[in-house]
Amino acid sequence: MDGDRLGLETRQLLARADRAIEESIRLRAINAEVRRQLRWARYEMEQQLAESLARHDTASGRAPIFDP
């Protein structure tokens, strides 16, 4: 009787561990996608800043500080 209870508890713990692992995998995938989107947004912002600085330097007659 005690063996059956321990077996049931063991199966429940294993099922719970499996769900936790699946959730961890799901969250890692979401994290990777968020990081990808953030890298892309940063790249776009840097490009816009470089273009803005280049336009400003051209309009003011100064040479650009860097070449984007």
Side-chain angles (χ1 to χ4, degrees), residues 7-63:
L8 174 61
E9 288 179 19
T10 300
R11 286 192 301 275
Q12 289 173 339
L13 288 172
L14 288 172
R16 189 172 166 192
D18 285 343
R19 287 191 303 273
I21 290 168
E22 289 169 1
E23 181 68 2
S24 176
I25 292 168
R26 186 184 75 80
L27 291 173
R28 287 176 63 91
I30 290 170
N31 187 14
E33 177 61 18
V34 167
R35 287 177 179 267
R36 186 194 66 76
Q37 290 177 7
L38 285 172
R39 279 193 305 271
W40 181 250
R42 182 177 178 177
Y43 169 79
E44 287 181 332
M45 289 173 56
E46 288 173 349
Q47 292 300 309
Q48 290 174 4
L49 178 60
E51 290 170 7
S52 177
L53 288 174
R55 281 193 303 272
H56 178 268
D57 289 340
T58 301
S60 68
R62 292 184 299 176

